[in-house]
Amino acid sequence: RGNDKQLKIIFVGRLEKDTGSTIYLKALENLKNNKIAYNLDVYGDGSEKNHFALYGKVHGFTKDLHTAIAAADIVLVSSYLSILQAMAHKKLVMAVYDNPLKEDYLRMAPFAPFIIIEKDPEKVAEKIVYYLEHSKEKKEMIEKAYAWSLKQSWENVADGYRNLWKN
């Protein structure tokens, strides 16, 4: 696809069905079937570990995510703090949901406009290819996410949670 560099994708989180892992796995399969070259590094553990190992290297949980995220092009992640960390590293973030609660959690989050949120594995793969081919749009989204992440402090995040639970 006119790109000499192989796409570097990382997944961060528990490797369980309730984290949307099935969606990510189907999306990775879709990329593979469509001849999209990528390297996958997985930072997490769980019952889906062997399935992820079919698509890349499973490292288990790590204390140093900074190095892993810094090397990535796209970060597949759905926990608030890991999303924030990926944004602060100027990475394209993709999060998936497989139930209405998780959808609300992602779409109602203050970072929602700055990440890709999907539930359909085909659309996940399509969006990855889209941003691979549209570097200007990718850069714009990353820059907006980064700018937002710079305004976040422990106090701001805590205030966000307090406001959330007040409502």
Side-chain angles (χ1 to χ4, degrees), residues 1 9 27 59 63 73 79 89 105 113 126 164:
R1 294 206 182 247
I9 302 173
H59 299 273
K63 288 182 177 158
D73 295 307
S79 77
H89 277 85
Y105 167 79
E126 283 173 19
L164 176 70

Side-chain angles (χ1 to χ4, degrees), residues 65-160:
L65 268 181
H66 294 290
T67 306
I69 291 174
D73 295 307
I74 297 176
V75 180
L76 309 177
V77 63
S78 58
S79 77
Y80 194 101
L81 293 177
S82 295
I83 289 171
L84 187 56
Q85 188 176 15
M87 293 167 112
H89 277 85
K90 292 187 172 187
K91 301 302 170 182
L92 187 64
V93 177
M94 178 168 290
V96 302
Y97 63 90
D98 58 2
N99 64 65
L101 180 64
K102 186 65 172 245
E103 181 180 12
D104 285 349
Y105 167 79
L106 292 168
R107 294 204 187 278
M108 296 169 80
F111 54 69
F114 316 118
I115 68 171
I116 301 160
I117 302 169
E118 283 297 340
K119 75 171 185 177
D120 179 334
E122 301 272 322
K123 285 198 169 115
V124 171
E126 283 173 19
K127 293 260 173 101
I128 288 172
V129 171
Y130 176 83
Y131 284 104
L132 187 60
E133 295 176 346
H134 295 84
S135 57
K136 183 177 178 236
E137 288 87 344
K138 178 182 173 187
K139 187 175 176 7
E140 283 175 16
M141 182 178 268
I142 289 170
E143 288 301 326
K144 287 176 186 172
Y146 177 70
W148 180 83
S149 76
L150 290 178
K151 297 177 195 153
Q152 304 312 301
S153 64
W154 282 111
E155 190 175 315
N156 287 348
V157 172
D159 286 345

